[in-house]
Amino acid sequence: MKKHLIKVVLSCAVVMGSFSSCKNSSSSKNVSRATGWKINAKEGGFQYNSDFKEQETPPGTVFVEGGTFTKGKVQDDIMHDWNNTPTQQHVQSFYMDETEVTNVMYLEYLDYLKEVYPPDNPNYANIYKGALPDTLVWRNRLGFNETMTNNYLRHPAYAEYPVVGVNWVQATQYAEWRTDRVNEVMLEREGYLAEDTKYKVLNGELDGTFSTEAYLNNPESVYGGEIDSLQGKQKQDSINAFAKRSSGIIMPAYRLPTETEWEYAAQALVGTREYNNYRGRKKYPWEGDYTRNGQRVGRGDQLANFKQGKGDYGGIAGWSDDGADITGEVKSYKPNDFGLYDMAGNVNEWVADVYRPIVDDEISDFNYYRGNVFMKKAIGEDGKVEILEDNIVYDTLPNGKIVAVNLPGEIKEVPVTEEETYLRTNFDKSDNRGFRDGDPGSSRFFSRFSDEEDNQRMYDSPQHKVERNDEGELVRQYDESNYRTSLINNEVRVYKGGSWRDRAYWLDPAQRRYLPQYMATDDIGFRCAMSRVGSKSRTKKTVRHKKAR
């Protein structure tokens, strides 16, 4: 009986030992907890970056930890716009440029386009030209501003001033270009590209260029198909010859921030402990209800660059109130509690959203954004994604400006179809800019706002038609109707923040205005943002683990 009992105990110990062994082996970061198979084995199989810690801060940005806040405002609606009534929103963590994009940053973009896509090449003529800021925005019928017209963009005296004269379309294209350039650096640093590959494109040693999405979907297509000769030290390991999304090397895309992100970042509630501020009572990106510094050091100094009164853009000579008459050099004022500069004043800033007077928080109070146009990658007959080589698509904006929709080497994208949206509950079409705002389901009196030409229009805005004929001549057909009642449509975008031309009223982060996406002014600039992947916080995760122990 004792022997039998000993055998049972020993067998149990063996079984428990085997389970323990399995547990120990499966807990290894390079052993699958699902199958027990090896991960990242030299023999092949599943390859994954099991050493990934967290997303690093992208160049030029600061980390903005997400959270809840009251979007909109509950005070000083003297304009009676009623377009920013308060709603409770939650924002995921993201990264945002610490300053507006400056002239020197944008000039780097222009120089790249000019070198890689020479304007004297007929195929590329409108790529560089379409990206140029409109320097004529400085002109005034009754003002002498030719100094800025001729010098503001390119003179080194204005290098660290925010770029202006850039429309919304150009700003989004800059963000796309920046994404590719930063990912080139990341791949080069991690050994997936040979050192200084990026400069070979500029020097004309390579015919093609780099596109992030093209690299991820068809790496053999980048750099004009010469990627094999441009690989770095990772080429020694044939399994990891190309980086994938699972490598953790590729950065998410730079983009314009959504209005909700921008307003949340500007308020910077992370630095306040006053309950009223969380309820939408914070008036400026800094503490207090005044535009002047109340602290001991610098008491009385203005905290932003804005118009103080009629004919007063900077104060009296010798003791200037804000140190600038037009735009000012970035980082001239203290940052807010997120480390962001000039979130009030200096220049207004484009955000991603299509403008509507009402924020529909009944549908979404999480990462609210109006402007989604869902696209998919075009697949060719060979089953691979279609890469646009020299077949550049241009778009003629309503003001006659021609911009490139895509650059050579990028992936062709097409709208999603009913086949992809069939029986889906979260979306049913590609273009959602007018969702619940102009369709029959969102208006009891929809028929009053429709017309014979387009019975899906909620806002009776002008319908211009500007295009180029077969001879390349610009044909302008402007809407001359006397019965249009609004300027709101799906091509108007929100801008926020106040500028050197604006009174203090517009410095409130909740204030919002709109402008057609193809127009530019001398007081609107932009800054880029990037989504954070992974954990909400960079530090609290570790703290929680320590507390749990």
Side-chain angles (χ1 to χ4, degrees):
M1 183 71 179
K2 288 183 178 180
K3 291 180 179 180
H4 179 69
L5 186 60
I6 291 172
K7 289 181 179 179
V8 171
V9 172
L10 288 174
S11 63
C12 286
V14 171
V15 171
M16 292 299 291
S18 64
F19 278 129
S20 176
S21 175
C22 287
K23 181 179 179 182
N24 289 336
S25 63
S26 64
S27 64
S28 171
K29 63 181 180 180
N30 283 322
V31 176
S32 169
R33 290 192 293 114
T35 63
W37 285 38
K38 290 181 180 180
I39 298 176
N40 300 322
K42 293 182 179 179
E43 298 79 9
F46 182 50
Q47 303 294 313
Y48 199 77
N49 184 2
S50 55
D51 293 323
F52 184 82
K53 301 300 181 184
E54 68 172 18
Q55 181 180 353
E56 65 178 277
T57 303
T61 68
V62 297
F63 175 67
V64 179
E65 182 178 346
T68 185
F69 80 115
T70 299
K71 179 181 178 181
K73 57 183 298 185
V74 292
Q75 57 184 350
D76 291 347
D77 193 11
I78 59 175
M79 303 292 288
H80 299 289
D81 289 330
W82 293 105
N83 67 352
N84 55 359
T85 52
T87 62
Q88 193 75 9
Q89 298 284 337
H90 188 94
V91 181
Q92 279 189 294
S93 298
F94 61 101
Y95 298 88
M96 180 179 272
D97 277 340
E98 62 176 346
T99 72
E100 296 109 345
V101 171
T102 62
N103 284 318
V104 70
M105 293 169 68
Y106 201 85
L107 284 174
E108 183 183 10
Y109 168 52
L110 294 177
D111 180 73
Y112 182 94
L113 295 182
K114 191 172 185 178
E115 293 295 327
V116 178
Y117 311 109
D120 55 2
N121 184 331
N123 292 331
Y124 302 150
N126 288 306
I127 292 180
Y128 174 74
K129 187 177 179 181
L132 286 171
D134 182 6
T135 58
L136 301 184
V137 294
W138 288 104
R139 283 183 170 166
N140 187 310
R141 294 181 183 88
L142 295 176
F144 180 72
N145 297 331
E146 290 304 291
T147 301
M148 281 82 76
T149 300
N150 297 325
N151 295 285
Y152 183 82
L153 174 63
R154 300 184 184 278
H155 198 286
Y158 296 111
E160 294 300 327
Y161 284 54
V163 67
V164 297
V166 176
N167 62 43
W168 184 93
V169 176
Q170 292 172 313
T172 57
Q173 290 175 336
Y174 170 87
E176 294 171 1
W177 168 86
R178 186 177 174 184
T179 300
D180 294 337
R181 304 293 75 77
V182 169
N183 280 325
E184 273 186 300
V185 173
M186 302 300 293
L187 291 171
E188 195 174 296
R189 187 188 73 182
E190 298 300 322
Y192 289 94
L193 288 177
E195 188 176 355
D196 294 336
T197 295
K198 55 185 179 295
Y199 296 119
K200 292 182 179 180
V201 176
L202 281 174
N203 297 333
E205 299 177 41
L206 293 173
D207 292 333
T209 185
F210 176 88
S211 164
T212 300
E213 288 301 318
Y215 178 85
L216 288 171
N217 289 274
N218 187 5
E220 291 83 1
S221 68
V222 300
Y223 297 121
E226 299 183 38
I227 184 65
D228 287 339
S229 62
L230 299 171
Q231 293 180 30
K233 61 183 180 181
Q234 291 288 353
K235 188 177 181 181
Q236 299 173 2
D237 184 356
S238 59
I239 297 175
N240 295 314
F242 300 114
K244 303 178 178 62
R245 216 176 286 276
S246 58
S247 304
I249 305 299
I250 303 295
M251 287 275 189
Y254 282 92
R255 54 179 173 79
L256 291 181
T258 66
E259 181 183 4
T260 307
E261 288 174 333
W262 193 98
E263 189 170 325
Y264 174 81
Q267 286 191 18
L269 299 177
V270 67
T272 185
R273 293 295 179 266
E274 295 184 19
Y275 177 75
N276 280 339
N277 287 343
Y278 286 92
R279 305 305 300 172
R281 299 282 182 177
K282 191 174 182 182
K283 188 174 179 64
Y284 299 115
W286 52 83
E287 289 294 330
D289 295 330
Y290 304 99
T291 62
R292 294 186 181 274
N293 189 353
Q295 298 178 352
R296 183 174 181 179
V297 178
R299 185 184 299 275
D301 290 345
Q302 290 287 6
L303 296 171
N305 175 19
F306 65 100
K307 182 178 180 179
Q308 261 106 108
K310 184 174 178 59
D312 185 0
Y313 291 85
I316 300 175
W319 46 290
S320 179
D321 278 350
D322 61 23
D325 41 22
I326 55 168
T327 57
E329 186 173 338
V330 297
K331 295 189 178 182
S332 295
Y333 306 92
K334 292 181 179 180
N336 70 5
D337 290 322
F338 276 131
L340 299 167
Y341 293 87
D342 293 321
M343 294 301 284
N346 213 15
V347 291
N348 290 289
E349 298 178 18
W350 288 114
V351 296
D353 293 57
V354 168
Y355 176 83
R356 289 294 188 271
I358 298 175
V359 174
D360 190 354
D361 64 329
E362 293 183 3
I363 286 295
S364 178
D365 57 3
F366 181 77
N367 287 345
Y368 184 88
Y369 165 64
R370 178 180 290 280
N372 281 313
V373 180
F374 300 123
M375 307 289 284
K376 66 177 181 178
K377 297 174 178 61
I379 305 299
E381 296 179 356
D382 58 356
K384 296 182 179 181
V385 293
E386 289 189 34
I387 306 296
L388 296 168
E389 299 298 340
D390 289 333
N391 185 22
I392 306 168
V393 179
Y394 292 102
D395 186 19
T396 302
L397 303 181
N399 60 356
K401 193 176 186 70
I402 302 175
V403 296
V405 176
N406 71 279
L407 294 178
E410 293 181 346
I411 292 179
K412 180 181 179 180
E413 291 192 336
V414 294
V416 296
T417 62
E418 293 182 359
E419 184 177 345
E420 283 84 26
T421 62
Y422 181 65
L423 292 183
R424 282 190 175 274
T425 58
N426 54 336
F427 71 100
D428 58 4
K429 60 182 179 180
S430 173
D431 189 347
N432 294 273
R433 292 174 295 177
F435 178 68
R436 282 176 60 90
D437 191 52
D439 55 352
S442 64
S443 174
R444 291 177 58 195
F445 306 108
F446 169 75
S447 59
R448 296 185 184 180
F449 299 95
S450 63
D451 56 30
E452 296 179 359
E453 296 180 0
D454 185 359
N455 59 7
Q456 293 295 311
R457 294 175 54 221
M458 179 68 174
Y459 294 99
D460 192 21
S461 58
Q463 297 293 293
H464 305 307
K465 185 177 181 181
V466 180
E467 59 186 5
R468 290 193 176 271
N469 57 24
D470 296 337
E471 288 74 31
E473 298 173 343
L474 194 64
V475 179
R476 296 182 174 94
Q477 298 179 15
Y478 292 113
D479 191 333
E480 298 179 357
S481 171
N482 294 323
Y483 301 99
R484 300 304 186 191
T485 58
S486 173
L487 293 176
I488 299 174
N489 56 37
N490 288 340
E491 280 72 45
V492 294
R493 302 286 174 166
V494 179
Y495 66 92
K496 297 173 73 73
S499 74
W500 65 275
R501 280 192 177 277
D502 294 314
R503 301 291 289 268
Y505 171 77
W506 296 106
L507 303 186
D508 188 329
Q511 293 291 5
R512 56 203 302 260
R513 288 173 284 181
Y514 66 92
L515 194 71
Q517 63 187 28
Y518 59 86
M519 294 185 69
T521 72
D522 62 358
D523 63 349
I524 299 182
F526 70 101
R527 71 179 77 206
C528 297
M530 179 187 289
S531 299
R532 175 173 170 82
V533 293
S535 61
K536 175 179 181 288
S537 172
R538 297 186 299 181
T539 56
K540 293 182 179 179
K541 184 177 181 181
T542 305
V543 174
R544 291 195 192 99
H545 285 177
K546 289 181 178 178
K547 288 182 178 179
R549 293 173 185 171

